[in-house]
């Protein structure tokens, strides 16, 4: 089993992700919504960049992911695509752009692919949106599923607590994952479910399961970049590991700048023309 075969030159494709699962190589995925941060995480070697609808929260300051529009997702996707050379880029289909009917779903996915140049779309849900996913797949657009805690359904769930603790919901999740595998999705994100269940799902499908709050027995992990870098300090779920405290670093830098401007220390002679 290989542990780190990150190849910084070879482009990551949907096919390559499936090969990685077969080889037992874990997949790394992070969100990005803009050119500058996408460039940094692509050059660092992340396998997949998700232009998530979490942009609604971390970029636009909304409480949920529901308000973000298709045009806004395309804008973020386009910015990320301009910066990305190696990682596979997936753009989320936002709330209200695929649930109505499968033709609308296909039209939304086509707009994302044509206008952002992204390489795949992600879509939340299982059996209830099967027809939409199949129609998108028929157009040659790779689809990543998303099961478990699907944030676009927060108003139905009423809470961001762990999903599928009960047998009935757990069984449905397994059936949905098998169905997504059978119809041709290339991966599934599984969010906030018991680790044991996520491991069972990963073992019962041929495509990679990328977990967030789903334990270590899956094929890869995804985190929201702003959370793992400590830019967003208000969000501290148990599953989050913070790799930096950028909010503190930025706070200090901004305070130092203000001090230097006020005191006249900035700019000095060498910083002037
Ligand atoms: O929108 C997003 O960032 C996501 C991840 C949390 C998986 O869907």
């Amino acid at each position: 089993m290989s542990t780190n075969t990150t190849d910084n030159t070879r482009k990551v494709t949907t096919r390559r992700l499936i090969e990685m699962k077969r080889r037992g190589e874990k997949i790394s995925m992070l969100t990005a919504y803009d050119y500058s941060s996408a460039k940094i995480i692509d050059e660092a070697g992340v396998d997949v960049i998700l232009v998530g609808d979490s942009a609604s929260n971390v970029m636009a300051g909304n409480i949920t992911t529901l308000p973000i529009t298709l045009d806004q997702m395309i804008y973020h996707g386009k910015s990320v695509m301009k910066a990305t050379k190696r990682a596979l880029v997936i753009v989320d289909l936002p709330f209200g752009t695929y649930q109505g009917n499968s033709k609308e779903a296909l039209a939304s996915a086509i707009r994302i692919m044509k206008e952002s140049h992204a390489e795949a779309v992600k879509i939340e849900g299982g059996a209830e949106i099967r027809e939409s996913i199949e129609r998108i797949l028929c157009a040659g657009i790779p689809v990543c599923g998303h099961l478990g805690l699907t944030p676009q359904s927060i108003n139905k769930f009423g809470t961001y607590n762990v999903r599928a603790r009960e047998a009935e919901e757990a069984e449905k999740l397994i059936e949905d994952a098998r169905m997504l595998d059978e119809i041709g999705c290339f991966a599934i994100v599984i969010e906030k479910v018991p680790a044991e269940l996520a491991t069972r799902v990963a073992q019962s499908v041929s495509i990679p399961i990328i977990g967030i709050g789903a334990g270590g027995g899956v094929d890869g992990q995804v985190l929201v970049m702003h959370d793992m870098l400590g830019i967003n300090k208000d969000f501290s779920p148990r599953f989050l590991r913070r790799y930096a405290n950028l909010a503190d670093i930025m706070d200090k830098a901004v305070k130092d700048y203000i001090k230097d401007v006020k005191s006249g220390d900035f700019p000095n002679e060498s910083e002037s023309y």
Side-chain angles (χ1 to χ4, degrees):
M1 186 189 288
S2 59
T3 51
N4 183 11
T5 54
T6 302
D7 176 343
N8 275 325
T9 52
R10 199 172 145 219
K11 174 75 189 152
V12 180
T13 60
T14 56
R15 201 191 159 109
R16 194 168 162 200
L17 294 183
I18 295 169
E19 286 166 18
M20 286 165 81
K21 174 173 175 123
R22 290 202 188 120
R23 282 202 306 274
E25 179 182 346
K26 298 273 188 183
I27 296 163
S28 59
M29 184 192 283
L30 277 177
T31 63
Y33 321 102
D34 68 290
Y35 175 86
S36 303
S37 48
K39 191 163 188 301
I40 293 170
I41 65 173
D42 183 53
E43 286 175 2
V46 76
D47 297 312
V48 185
I49 297 182
L50 173 65
V51 184
D53 59 359
S54 50
S56 178
N57 310 106
V58 292
M59 291 279 103
N62 296 311
I63 292 167
T64 72
T65 57
L66 276 66
I68 200 159
T69 65
L70 189 55
D71 284 336
Q72 287 165 336
M73 289 305 298
I74 290 168
Y75 166 81
H76 290 299
K78 223 190 239 177
S79 310
V80 166
M81 280 305 292
K82 284 183 194 153
T84 307
K85 292 199 171 83
R86 177 183 174 274
L88 178 81
V89 177
I90 305 174
V91 174
D92 266 346
L93 274 169
F95 176 71
T97 65
Y98 60 92
Q99 295 95 338
N101 62 61
S102 59
K103 284 191 182 159
E104 187 189 358
L106 176 60
S108 305
I110 287 177
R111 275 204 63 204
I112 287 180
M113 301 299 283
K114 252 188 198 300
E115 295 177 40
S116 77
H117 302 171
E119 294 150 329
V121 297
K122 178 165 78 60
I123 181 162
E124 293 185 8
E128 56 290 342
I129 53 154
R130 177 180 178 145
E131 193 185 310
S132 292
I133 298 173
E134 283 181 316
R135 202 181 267 261
I136 296 170
L137 287 166
C138 276
I141 300 172
V143 177
C144 175
H146 186 154
L147 300 172
L149 176 64
T150 44
Q152 292 178 16
S153 300
I154 184 58
N155 294 307
K156 182 177 84 179
F157 297 149
T159 159
Y160 285 103
N161 287 350
V162 175
R163 302 305 310 175
R165 282 198 191 277
E166 306 299 326
E168 199 182 327
E169 197 176 330
E171 281 314 311
K172 181 179 175 345
L173 192 143
I174 294 171
E175 275 169 32
D176 281 342
R178 288 199 177 125
M179 180 276 290
L180 294 175
D181 184 11
E182 272 162 31
I183 66 176
C185 289
F186 71 89
I188 305 170
V189 166
I190 292 195
E191 182 163 351
K192 232 176 167 185
V193 304
E196 201 186 324
L197 172 64
T199 305
R200 259 175 73 200
V201 175
Q203 287 167 352
S204 54
V205 296
S206 66
I207 55 176
I209 299 296
I210 314 293
I212 172 163
V218 292
D219 306 301
Q221 299 293 327
V222 54
L223 285 175
V224 169
M225 187 193 66
H226 290 66
D227 299 336
M228 61 83 79
L229 290 180
I231 297 173
N232 173 15
K233 286 172 66 175
D234 304 333
F235 185 64
S236 304
R238 174 190 171 125
F239 68 76
L240 175 63
R241 187 180 292 181
R242 272 196 221 292
Y243 288 83
N245 275 308
L246 289 199
D248 292 344
I249 292 170
M250 288 170 76
D251 179 69
K252 181 177 180 320
V254 172
K255 283 180 175 149
D256 287 349
Y257 166 74
I258 295 168
K259 186 165 65 62
D260 289 351
V261 170
K262 301 274 183 198
S263 69
D265 182 70
F266 175 77
N268 61 25
E269 236 175 87
S270 71
E271 289 157 338
S272 307
Y273 298 97

